[in-house]
Amino acid sequence: MTAGHTGKDPTTEHLSDHGLLALVAGGDREAFARLYDQYSEAAYSLAVRVVRDREFAADVVQEAFLAVWNQARTFDARRGQPSTWILTVTHHKAVDAVRREERRRSDPIDEEYEGRDPGAPVDEQAWLGMTRERVRQALRRLPDPHREVLELAYFAGYTQSELAERLALPLGTVKSRTFAAMTALRDEFARSGVTMEDSGTRR
Amino acid sequence: MEHVDELIAAHALRALDPDDERAVEQHLAECEGCRHKLAEFEAVAAALAYAAPAAAPPLELRDRILGAAEPVVQPPVPPPVRERRRWWPRIAAVAAPGFAVLAIALAAWNISLRNDLGDTRSRFATGRVIHLANVGNVVTSGGSAILYADLKPAPSGKTYEAWVITGGKPVPAGTFDGGTGTRLTLTHDVAAGDSVAVTVEPEGGSAQPTSEPLAVGASNLG
């Protein structure tokens, strides 16, 4: 799920995301900007989907990236990819924001496409588009009841007992459907290369 | 702990009720296997972000965020060397004081000094450290040396090659494919006054460097 780097600075061009994050840990703003450029669209898209307000979403993304900046020194590579960490922090902040403000939407994922910076290099777009398509396909393959609890939990920020109430299901059913969805996706993403075992960046 | 895997999956989605969340966090602090499982599920949850409709962040958000990134308080060290060093035989030695090089290496590698003391010791116990800007570092112990690097995998048909520059000349010291967590024992000793460099070479490596180095670092310690 890591992006290829096509930035202009030749000295950081060969670095993996872990290498960039190590530089960020040392206070390197340029490496930080590279990570921002790679993952800000994914983070912002997620935030907009969860908090349903662009200004609010921008604040969430700011909080998330500044947390990455401040905590980069404590990041343990065994936790996985920096991109996972960035999006995990973003998701966490978005869900917290939604719960604080008690604003939630539970629309199914729609296919609206907002367009992106036309100046972005073509191979970055191809990678992003391909990942999006693979993830959406994997979701479509889930049984409806599994996908429903997963999407409501992840994108609308409901807790499991809130979901049980909302869907009029036993809590145990919510838990087992969520788990079934996550394990199916874990296997599917590993198979299709969306999540990667090692650090390899995609080309 | 009952149904811990279910809890971990839901924790990755941030969907746990407060009691469950407290319980699983406590368990995770004590169970490395479960921390590994959490890392797997977090990768799945992070991938879900890509199912959201694409939305382009406002350009001014970038300025806001980069502007708000304050310098992080850390031991005084010179900034990482960013400009290309002259290539051999006119190498300019990296004039970093010993402490500073070690501090850069520690900062660059996010080594948690609270855990994994074994790892830390094996990297720094008796050796000198040569910092290779934007590549990683080399730790020497006696004459032998190990290169630690975090590079993207080498392009297809190419490989990374390490060199020991000794007596003003580069000697091949091993090839590697790259990827996070490279740990390469150099095939040539590193003596005081030697430098280490890394280049990209055709697959199989070269007898002499055919390209500009990604980084060159000299040892001024010991």
Side-chain angles (χ1 to χ4, degrees):
Chain A
M1 203 177 59
T2 50
H5 293 301
T6 53
K8 303 177 183 88
D9 177 12
T11 57
T12 59
E13 195 182 336
H14 290 274
L15 282 175
S16 65
D17 284 352
H18 279 107
L20 283 177
L21 194 57
L23 286 179
V24 171
D28 187 327
R29 268 200 185 76
E30 180 140 8
F32 181 56
R34 291 289 299 276
L35 283 176
Y36 178 83
D37 289 339
Q38 289 302 325
Y39 299 114
S40 55
E41 174 166 339
Y44 183 73
S45 303
L46 171 62
V48 167
R49 174 64 183 84
V50 173
V51 304
R52 289 291 176 175
D53 179 296
R54 288 176 171 270
E55 257 188 58
F56 211 173
D59 289 345
V60 164
V61 169
Q62 177 164 349
E63 257 192 77
F65 272 91
L66 289 180
V68 166
W69 170 258
N70 288 317
Q71 294 164 31
R73 274 170 305 167
T74 63
F75 179 75
D76 181 346
R78 288 169 301 178
R79 285 168 63 175
Q81 293 292 329
S83 58
T84 296
W85 183 43
I86 289 167
L87 292 172
T88 299
V89 173
T90 303
H91 183 246
H92 187 171
K93 304 264 179 212
V95 167
D96 283 354
V98 148
R99 286 175 183 166
R100 269 200 315 269
E101 305 280 324
E102 305 211 341
R103 353 155 28 121
R104 279 192 206 130
R105 295 284 295 277
S106 51
D107 301 341
I109 311 277
D110 46 25
E111 293 303 311
E112 72 194 57
Y113 178 68
E114 308 234 351
R116 51 172 293 126
D117 173 12
V122 170
D123 55 352
E124 276 185 17
Q125 295 191 34
W127 161 80
L128 201 47
M130 197 165 63
T131 302
R132 283 215 163 94
E133 197 39 47
R134 284 180 177 160
V135 171
R136 287 171 181 169
Q137 267 182 26
L139 278 172
R140 281 195 290 268
R141 283 201 202 102
L142 291 176
D144 289 350
H146 295 186
R147 183 178 58 250
E148 182 181 35
V149 297
L150 183 78
E151 287 182 354
L152 287 171
Y154 187 73
F155 289 107
Y158 287 109
T159 64
Q160 296 197 300
S161 59
E162 285 172 341
L163 282 175
E165 195 184 311
R166 185 191 164 84
L167 298 171
L169 290 171
L171 180 60
T173 304
V174 169
K175 290 185 172 185
S176 59
R177 284 183 185 176
T178 305
F179 184 61
M182 285 294 275
T183 49
L185 288 178
R186 182 190 60 195
D187 296 342
E188 173 62 23
F189 289 160
R191 194 194 62 75
S192 64
V194 169
T195 54
M196 299 178 72
E197 278 303 311
D198 66 12
S199 72
T201 51
R202 311 179 131 266
R203 307 234 159 211
Chain B
M1 189 177 178
E2 235 183 279
H3 302 303
V4 67
D5 285 4
E6 275 188 3
L7 288 172
I8 290 171
H11 186 52
L13 293 168
R14 296 228 76 80
L16 286 179
D17 294 291
D19 291 349
D20 282 342
E21 182 152 334
R22 267 191 298 272
V24 84
E25 277 178 351
Q26 184 145 345
H27 179 79
L28 285 168
E30 300 157 356
C31 176
E32 188 180 339
C34 287
R35 286 198 292 274
H36 181 72
K37 284 182 188 162
L38 177 64
E40 282 190 339
F41 282 127
E42 279 184 338
V44 175
L48 287 176
Y50 293 92
L59 292 176
E60 58 88 18
L61 180 61
R62 187 182 195 272
D63 296 335
R64 255 164 67 191
I65 290 175
L66 298 185
E70 300 268 308
V72 176
V73 175
Q74 58 183 344
V77 294
V81 174
R82 299 190 62 93
E83 64 277 356
R84 288 277 165 74
R85 292 296 173 186
R86 283 141 144 247
W87 194 210
W88 69 282
R90 302 159 304 178
I91 290 167
V94 174
F99 167 74
V101 173
L102 191 65
I104 289 171
L106 284 173
W109 287 84
N110 280 312
I111 290 175
S112 164
L113 296 176
R114 296 160 298 161
N115 317 320
D116 279 346
L117 282 177
D119 270 357
T120 311
R121 273 199 292 273
S122 68
R123 284 187 184 184
F124 298 112
T126 60
R128 312 180 303 232
V129 178
I130 300 171
H131 177 61
L132 296 176
N134 302 315
V135 169
N137 63 3
V138 171
V139 180
T140 68
S141 176
S144 66
I146 299 176
L147 167 69
Y148 296 92
D150 265 351
L151 292 170
K152 291 194 287 195
S156 141
K158 303 251 184 201
T159 186
Y160 293 111
E161 187 158 4
W163 308 88
V164 176
I165 297 138
T166 180
K169 295 198 172 112
V171 176
T175 59
F176 59 103
D177 293 328
T180 287
T182 292
R183 186 185 181 281
L184 175 79
T185 302
L186 298 185
T187 58
H188 191 281
D189 287 352
V190 178
D194 288 348
S195 304
V196 178
V198 172
T199 64
V200 178
E201 298 296 330
E203 208 169 319
S206 307
Q208 290 290 274
T210 64
S211 59
E212 287 290 297
L214 302 179
V216 181
S219 166
N220 285 312
L221 302 177

